Amino acid sequence: MPAVTETIDTVQSVTEGTYKWGFETEIEMEFAPKGLNEDIVRFISKKKNEPQWLLDWRLKAFAIWQKMEEPRWPAVTYPPIDYQDAYYYAAPANKVKPKSLDEVDPELLRTYAKLGIPLKEQAILAGVEGAGDVPAEGGRMPIAVDAVFDSVSVATSYKERLGKEGIIFCAISEAVEKYPDLVRQYLGTVVPQGDNFYAALNSAVFTDGSFVYIPKGVRCPMELSTYFRINAKSTGQFERTLIIADEGSTVSYLEGCTAPMRDENQLHAAVVELVALDDARIKYSTVQNWYPGDAEGKGGIYNFVTKRAQCRGKRSKVSWTQVETGSAITWKYPSCVLLGDDSVGEFYSVAITNNRQQADTGTKMIHVGKRTTSTIVSKGISAGRGQNTYRGLVRVAPTASNARNFTQCDSLLIGDQCGAHTVPYIENRCMTAKTEHEATTSRIAEDQLFYCRQRGLSEEDAVGLIVNGFCREVLKELPMEFAVEAQKLLQISLEGSVG
Amino acid sequence: MLKIEGLTAEVEGKQILKGIDLEVPVGEVHAIMGPNGSGKSTLSYVLSGREGYEITGGSVTFAGQDLLALEPEERAASGLFLAFQYPVELPGVGNALFLRTALNAVRKARGEPELDAMQFLKVARERLKALQIGEDMLKRGVNVGFSGGEKKRNEVLQMALLQPKLAILDETDSGLDIDALKIVSDGVNALRGPGFSALVITHYQRLLDYIVPDRVHVLMGGRIVQSGGPELAKQLEAEGYASVQAAA
Ligand SMILES: Nc1ncnc2c1ncn2[C@@H]1O[C@H](COP(=O)(O)OP(=O)(O)O)[C@@H](O)[C@H]1O
Ligand SMILES: [Mg+2]
């Protein structure tokens, strides 16, 4: 048998991962009736005690959505989604904020424990009053967590400590109540209601998500983190996140996601809006590990997400880093609109597709301000029958004199039944702007695997090492703790070496 | 240490090894010489378990085990090391991480405790010094952008760290200048002792002036056609392989 064929067979046999995070929590849920209509939108808004302006905003979004068509241009295929056959609101029934750990549903705490959320104190996570004052262990930088359990943000930690700096970090529904002016000023200004089909849907029915405001000149003293998790059957998750970094402020935000194993597909359509004013910096890191479906392609999350940042201020900077290992289908283009002169946009991405996973992901960099610069580094890894598409747009407006973009897209193929595609669009309308694009496609070579194994590494460890090497430029952008987690995840999602 | 009997193997349906008999006792260093295409690298790959090299007959015992029944990583763990004729590049994989992962994999298999980054660095520094390799080589991607000589020295560095029972050096001398050749030879000679055997594959007698072998074997057309002491290498150098062929 030729060496190459045999290697492919062997690699295939080790690439069928099983999902480590597939468990389900049995706690009492409160559902809205199935289906989507104006009444459901009103129901959600009422449940959340929202002001009239927000209800009107949602209804407008719903009206727009009804006239829109699902996009068909991404290089992904899936059976038609019946939007009337899903629940649009699911919340743990016990919604009164707990006063102590005893009052927290133990099932919920177990879920967090299983999720491995980087939290030492369960009390903090569960939002027990005063628990956020516990000092961080071992002098490490603490992480503030806002956990979204299905649709309701259950707990927000470290709130008080952040409050001392004037930082607001809470559930968006809480922000609507407490800081309505801020929310109203910024909501939908980066991703308008009618931006696209899924953004419109999200605008109509979003149930929770995080809100962050960093005041002028404040450097956020800790990483802010949200762990998303889809639990209830047939619920879509529509969280909406809004981050505003005022002049001269800095924030690093982490987003991690898991979901239980299920046979049917679940829809996840989130919207994330970032606003950076003069000299502000936002670093947004995602490790996405939604359930990808089984080896035959049954089940898994449909991840249709709109993420966009506006660098409104001069010299502002937004950096997106994503490690996408999960979901049956990923449709996601974290983007930067570079309005302020000398503003900077960055996109670092690792996307893995294994078995029957499909990913159509990339970024948009829209240069408007003078001397704006953007960097795109995309690493796509396909194994099994996975299909991986990088889709990117670099648009330079005539106003963006001396703008610069550098794009690098690398694809790694494992086996011969997967696919990698690169679709870069460049629209440069400015004579003095420069754009550069580099692309490579490679395979894990048999000689690389053999070299590692001759040195004592197992085949799985060899694949892990080579893949991590391939992704190094992206992984080094992640905050330290997240990077370690991401490396493990890459290996697990490729190898099936669970636990 | 190593005992090969009647070993035959084919690549892509073509028979390359046509019956090899060879024994390397514990503590001995044997040289294998032979013209290009005679099957030297094939032998090294068959011994280390590379896929695509199909064994059609014969047996190999290594340290009392049936070598051919083991996976490549198990062979490495039980003390077999191959210095590649063409070391492979691993882009983005730091050399230090690679060496430490390899060392720990082997240590784990031997039941020894794994080394953390600091402990590893200490051990690695000593070896680097002995081999006159700059420390910056640890920071670079495995073999990426290394010169031919650097790649070969990196192989010897790995050998020095892993401390194998049997090292197969496949033309480790080719492409080395005389200084590098001395350094590499010193690296091998430092390991020589009762617990170490080596199979040194080379084209040139030159290397054997520095690593003096106990035995020299001539491999031609997939068979060992002649064996002898170090003087055989000198004879080959003077008279060429044609003389052996005529004799065989
Ligand atoms: N992967 C391979 N596919 C086909 N033929 C091979 C392969 N590897 C080696 N060979 C053939 O086997 C023979 C021996 O090669 P090799 O072992 O590399 O010789 P040496 O190392 O002595 O120069 C040569 O004829 C070569 O063409
Ligand atoms: Mg050779």
Side-chain angles (χ1 to χ4, degrees), chain A residues 1-3 6-7 10 446-459 461 465-466 468-470 472, chain B residues 48 50-52 54 71-73 76 80-82 84 88-93 97-98 102 105-106 143 155 158:
Chain A
M1 171 189 269
E6 201 166 275
T7 309
T10 322
E446 180 273 338
D447 63 349
Q448 292 178 319
L449 280 179
F450 177 63
Y451 190 62
C452 294
R453 293 179 76 189
Q454 207 304 302
R455 297 300 184 252
L457 277 68
S458 68
E459 186 156 33
D461 287 345
L465 196 74
I466 294 164
N468 274 302
F470 174 75
R472 204 184 67 93
Chain B
S48 51
R50 189 166 189 163
E51 279 164 25
E54 200 161 342
E71 293 292 324
E73 59 269 32
L80 183 127
F81 180 89
L82 170 63
F84 284 59
V88 180
E89 299 186 4
L90 303 176
V93 180
L97 175 67
F98 179 66
V106 169
N143 295 323
E155 295 291 288
Q158 294 178 51

Side-chain angles (χ1 to χ4, degrees), chain B residues 11-12 14 16 35-43 53 85 171:
Chain B
V11 182
E12 288 180 7
K14 184 176 152 201
I16 308 292
N36 268 332
S38 58
K40 303 184 297 295
S41 292
T42 301
L43 177 62
Y53 291 77
Q85 182 174 2
E171 297 200 28

Side-chain angles (χ1 to χ4, degrees), chain A residues 131-189:
Chain A
D133 300 332
V134 180
E137 280 176 23
R140 275 202 276 160
M141 180 128 114
I143 298 174
V145 176
D146 181 15
V148 175
F149 189 80
D150 284 313
S151 310
V152 173
S153 179
V154 188
T156 314
S157 60
Y158 288 105
K159 207 179 282 182
E160 288 182 21
R161 224 191 115 176
L162 293 171
K164 279 179 198 139
E165 306 263 6
I167 294 167
I168 303 168
F169 176 36
C170 63
I172 198 156
S173 48
E174 189 182 333
V176 169
E177 264 176 60
K178 290 190 181 161
Y179 318 97
D181 295 343
L182 263 182
V183 176
R184 204 170 174 177
Q185 186 185 342
Y186 288 101
L187 185 74
T189 61

